Amino acid sequence: MAWKPSEREARGYHHGNLREALIQAARELIAEKGPAGFTFADAARSAGVSAAAPYRHFRDREALMADVAREGFQRFEAMLAAGWAGGKPDPITAFHNVGKAYLTFARTEPAYYAAMFESGLAPDVTKELRASADRAFAVLRQAADTLVALLPQARRPPALMMSLHVWSMAHGIASLFGRGDAGRRSLPMSAEELLESEMLIYMQGLGFPQKV
Amino acid sequence: MAWKPSEREARGYHHGNLREALIQAARELIAEKGPAGFTFADAARSAGVSAAAPYRHFRDREALMADVAREGFQRFEAMLAAGWAGGKPDPITAFHNVGKAYLTFARTEPAYYAAMFESGLAPDVTKELRASADRAFAVLRQAADTLVALLPQARRPPALMMSLHVWSMAHGIASLFGRGDAGRRSLPMSAEELLESEMLIYMQGLGFPQKV
DNA sequence: CAGGCCATGTTAATGGAGTTTACATTAAAG
DNA sequence: CTTTAATGTAAACTCCATTAACATGGCCTG
């Protein structure tokens, strides 16, 4: 009775990298059925191991979710930083690119995005989670620092406030219209166009010129 | 063997208004443990009936959630409309009051808000749900109509776009900073102040005067 | 290269909870 | 008084979480 000899042969008794495999499985399940749509046992099944195996790597389901979110924030940070591109070609264009990167991430990585923002996870269940989230926000914050420095000192808004404003715009649009999932609202324009125009008007209100 | 005679006497064999009682129970459970934090059976337990009773009123958990959300959108609409107050005392002030009402709703009715926006419910699982959501948005939309009419025709933005922008701001802030739940990020200012300043800058960008 | 440690998985057992079907009771109508 | 639809109940069934006891094999040490 050779019980699934191929699988066992393929990976042996030990999985080799179960931790990452579980995170990957969780991502796929979240993408399929939402952040509440999987159980610890489901993740184990998807990874091809017994239901007890995950306990060697994660205390419980929430710990697994927290690690998915942490990984997500790391990639998010990288994506926002790539959008900013050190302020090239000019700070204002680069700022808009950060906004685009935000929406691109939400659309191309809905599973990470859901784990990060819609899983009901407290931002500081873990020191590491909180830290990675802060690092991602810091990209936005630092971009805002650069931008306000372009304005005459008398009319500089607080950079923290400005970064919170832009974060709320991007997050609002991503949450409401950002994902391709069937159920979303239809729009007369794309989420990207919507955010672009919103940021444009906002920055006009702060007295930025359209271009540098 | 008088099994809980008092309760039975109090309501008789039939509950009388189980449907509403289940919605109420769901709200309390959502407020406690988040939109994923309750089951059909939990709701039944909270309402004081057996686990199978809810099936007489709702096809499944999702149908119950949809009705909570529908009720939520109705109250939401009323709250936004009260904030608008027909454009009194003046349209710009009234518009800001709509924003405040949005945040107030998110804070004072976190259960409704979660069911409406964070439950993973598709906007059109139900005709009624979709309709009630549209009616709530229509308040914002109509306020925007009134506002753009204040601008000289040459510089009028599309009112639909403007309403989507403001919706995304309010929703973004409510989602990120709006609830008192322990886990949220700390801020240098209140969510209300943040939204107020954001809308102010945005409207300045559109060329609105600070006051009428 | 042998021996043994220990991280990693497996099986099995237990307890608890959710869902669902078949049956029971009440209220209201004829 | 009987019928019938609405409303609940009870119990079977399935699945999940969790733990304990055992198995495997990679890798360090001598």
Side-chain angles (χ1 to χ4, degrees):
Chain A
M1 184 150 94
W3 184 69
K4 288 187 180 176
S6 56
E7 271 187 19
R8 289 296 281 266
E9 274 167 26
R11 74 167 169 88
Y13 188 94
H14 289 288
H15 184 285
N17 197 2
L18 182 54
R19 187 185 178 85
E20 275 305 313
L22 285 170
I23 293 179
Q24 170 65 18
R27 283 177 54 204
E28 285 167 7
L29 291 168
I30 291 171
E32 259 181 61
K33 298 183 289 180
F38 81 101
T39 67
F40 218 33
D42 278 330
R45 210 184 341 272
S46 286
V49 296
S50 71
Y55 288 88
R56 300 291 184 189
H57 298 276
F58 301 98
R59 191 167 36 75
D60 55 17
R61 204 193 95 111
E62 185 180 68
L64 169 56
M65 186 72 88
D67 248 47
V68 175
R70 194 181 48 74
E71 238 186 59
F73 274 116
Q74 284 173 205
R75 300 199 184 201
F76 190 48
E77 178 196 355
M79 199 138 186
L80 295 183
W84 175 242
K88 301 286 179 90
D90 63 87
I92 292 182
T93 303
F95 201 55
H96 283 291
N97 286 338
V98 174
K100 285 192 184 69
Y102 195 115
L103 294 185
T104 299
F105 183 86
R107 173 170 294 128
T108 61
E109 300 287 358
Y112 277 133
Y113 198 82
M116 290 155 59
F117 294 114
E118 298 163 3
S119 63
L121 222 54
D124 44 6
V125 270
T126 290
K127 234 201 306 274
E128 292 80 22
L129 178 60
R130 158 70 70 161
S132 59
D134 285 350
R135 270 194 299 276
F137 175 67
V139 175
L140 199 58
R141 170 61 205 269
Q142 194 254 351
D145 278 331
T146 304
L147 278 182
V148 299
L150 297 178
L151 292 176
Q153 222 163 12
R155 283 190 290 122
R156 278 184 201 163
L160 173 58
M161 183 192 78
M162 182 176 172
S163 57
L164 291 172
H165 283 164
V166 172
W167 190 14
S168 74
M169 292 178 198
H171 183 71
I173 287 182
S175 298
L176 293 171
F177 323 109
R179 266 72 57 77
D181 1 56
R184 290 303 169 193
R185 241 159 268 279
S186 65
L187 286 177
M189 51 183 82
S190 73
E192 277 77 5
E193 293 170 321
L194 200 58
L195 179 59
E196 169 103 31
S197 56
E198 186 170 352
M199 286 177 65
L200 217 53
I201 294 168
Y202 175 82
M203 289 173 66
Q204 178 117 27
L206 285 178
F208 282 97
Q210 298 301 71
K211 282 289 173 192
V212 160
Chain B
M1 184 151 88
W3 186 67
K4 287 186 182 178
S6 55
E7 273 186 17
R8 289 293 283 267
E9 275 168 26
R11 72 165 169 87
Y13 188 94
H14 291 288
H15 184 285
N17 196 2
L18 183 53
R19 188 184 178 86
E20 275 305 314
L22 285 170
I23 293 180
Q24 170 66 20
R27 283 177 55 204
E28 285 166 7
L29 290 167
I30 292 171
E32 259 181 60
K33 297 185 291 181
F38 82 101
T39 68
F40 219 31
D42 277 331
R45 210 183 341 274
S46 286
V49 297
S50 72
Y55 287 88
R56 303 294 179 181
H57 298 277
F58 301 97
R59 192 168 36 72
D60 54 17
R61 204 193 94 109
E62 185 179 69
L64 169 56
M65 186 73 86
D67 249 46
V68 175
R70 193 183 47 73
E71 237 187 59
F73 274 115
Q74 284 173 205
R75 300 199 184 201
F76 191 48
E77 179 196 355
M79 199 137 185
L80 294 183
W84 176 241
K88 302 288 178 93
D90 63 89
I92 292 184
T93 302
F95 201 54
H96 283 290
N97 286 340
V98 174
K100 285 192 185 69
Y102 197 114
L103 295 184
T104 299
F105 184 85
R107 173 168 295 127
T108 61
E109 299 288 359
Y112 277 133
Y113 198 82
M116 290 154 60
F117 294 113
E118 298 163 2
S119 63
L121 223 54
D124 44 6
V125 271
T126 290
K127 235 200 310 268
E128 292 81 21
L129 178 59
R130 158 70 70 162
S132 59
D134 285 349
R135 270 193 299 276
F137 174 67
V139 175
L140 200 55
R141 170 62 205 269
Q142 194 254 353
D145 278 332
T146 303
L147 276 183
V148 299
L150 297 179
L151 291 176
Q153 220 161 15
R155 285 188 290 123
R156 277 184 202 164
L160 173 57
M161 183 191 77
M162 182 176 171
S163 57
L164 291 172
H165 284 165
V166 172
W167 191 13
S168 72
M169 293 179 197
H171 183 71
I173 287 181
S175 298
L176 292 171
F177 322 108
R179 265 71 57 76
D181 0 57
R184 290 303 169 190
R185 242 160 267 280
S186 65
L187 287 177
M189 52 183 82
S190 74
E192 276 77 5
E193 291 169 323
L194 201 57
L195 179 60
E196 169 103 32
S197 55
E198 187 169 351
M199 286 178 67
L200 215 54
I201 294 168
Y202 174 83
M203 289 174 66
Q204 177 117 25
L206 285 178
F208 282 97
Q210 299 301 75
K211 282 290 171 187
V212 159

